[in-house]
Amino acid sequence: MNRIALSAVAALMTMAAFAQSIAVVDMEAVLAKHPNTPNDKKLLESTLADYTKERDALRAALEAKQADLEKQMQEAQNPMLAPAKAEELRKACQAAFEGIENDRRAAEAQMAERSRTLSEMERKLIKRSTDEIQAHIDAYAKEKGYDLVVYKNMVAYVRPEQDITDRIIVLCGGVPDKKDTSKSAKELKAPERMK
């Protein structure tokens, strides 16, 4: 019985010692507060706006060509036209239709490429910031003697003093959110009645 108790105490002491060397960090919060993030967001939004204008211009050009084609098709169906002229217009309509389809495919390919470019740009911007954040986490963990730093969303509970998110935000040059230290109404006791 004593061996079991001693083993349990030793295991608890080992776990307690190990728990002291674990920290957590909320990467989403650090990335959101990173100094690069506002400019990166503006760059992505500006690029998306440019691509949207380009897409809208391509769409408008295709719609205009489609409207012209519909007019040509109506002209080609005019019963008053000479058969040779009607055939010429039908061939012109067919060529215009094929041209529009080629333009449509080219526009779709161009917009797909723009989408890939935007995704790649976003990935590179995030990677640049997360690499910097990771370097700060590594340095801070070594300085403070942490054996393990895990992402906060991977754990159900952590003591507040083991959450190093705000410290990493500051090391990256960001400003952490102000902590609300006011107590909620549930935590406040009603004043005692005076007798």
Side-chain angles (χ1 to χ4, degrees):
M1 183 75 170
N2 286 340
R3 283 187 181 168
I4 295 173
L6 285 174
S7 295
V9 169
L12 287 173
M13 289 176 66
T14 302
M15 287 172 40
F18 188 64
Q20 293 298 323
S21 63
I22 297 176
V24 298
V25 65
D26 184 342
M27 282 296 281
E28 289 180 19
V30 177
L31 188 59
K33 294 294 182 178
H34 195 282
N36 290 343
T37 301
N39 288 334
D40 292 350
K41 186 177 178 183
K42 286 178 187 173
L43 175 62
L44 289 168
E45 288 172 352
S46 171
T47 304
L48 178 61
D50 291 344
Y51 290 169
T52 301
K53 285 178 188 174
E54 185 178 355
R55 181 203 63 209
D56 292 345
L58 289 170
R59 184 178 291 154
L62 284 170
E63 288 172 357
K65 288 180 180 181
Q66 184 68 37
D68 287 344
L69 174 60
E70 289 172 8
K71 287 178 186 175
Q72 285 179 337
M73 289 171 71
Q74 286 178 351
E75 288 177 25
Q77 293 174 357
N78 185 346
M80 301 302 280
L81 286 177
K85 182 67 175 172
E87 183 60 26
E88 179 185 323
L89 285 174
R90 278 193 283 281
K91 286 181 180 178
C93 288
Q94 182 62 34
F97 175 78
E98 290 170 3
I100 290 170
E101 286 304 303
N102 288 337
D103 290 349
R104 189 182 319 278
R105 282 190 292 274
E108 288 171 0
Q110 186 174 343
M111 289 298 97
E113 180 58 32
R114 296 294 188 261
S115 180
R116 281 190 295 276
T117 301
L118 189 63
S119 294
E120 182 64 16
M121 178 188 296
E122 182 178 28
R123 187 193 66 74
K124 285 180 179 178
L125 292 172
I126 290 172
K127 184 177 181 336
R128 179 197 63 199
S129 295
T130 55
D131 285 351
E132 182 186 333
I133 292 166
Q134 189 61 52
H136 284 296
I137 292 170
D138 292 349
Y140 187 80
K142 288 174 186 168
E143 176 189 330
K144 296 299 181 182
Y146 289 116
D147 295 320
L148 181 67
V149 178
V150 295
Y151 295 133
K152 192 171 184 177
N153 65 347
M154 302 295 285
V155 294
Y157 171 77
V158 65
R159 289 191 330 237
E161 58 270 13
Q162 289 178 283
D163 186 342
I164 62 171
T165 302
D166 286 349
R167 286 173 230 145
I168 300 302
I169 290 171
V170 170
L171 288 172
C172 290
V175 178
D177 287 333
K178 199 172 176 181
K179 300 291 182 207
D180 185 10
T181 57
S182 63
K183 293 185 177 184
S184 71
K186 291 179 183 178
E187 294 174 4
L188 298 175
K189 292 182 181 179
E192 292 184 26
R193 292 188 175 173
M194 299 182 109
K195 295 182 180 183

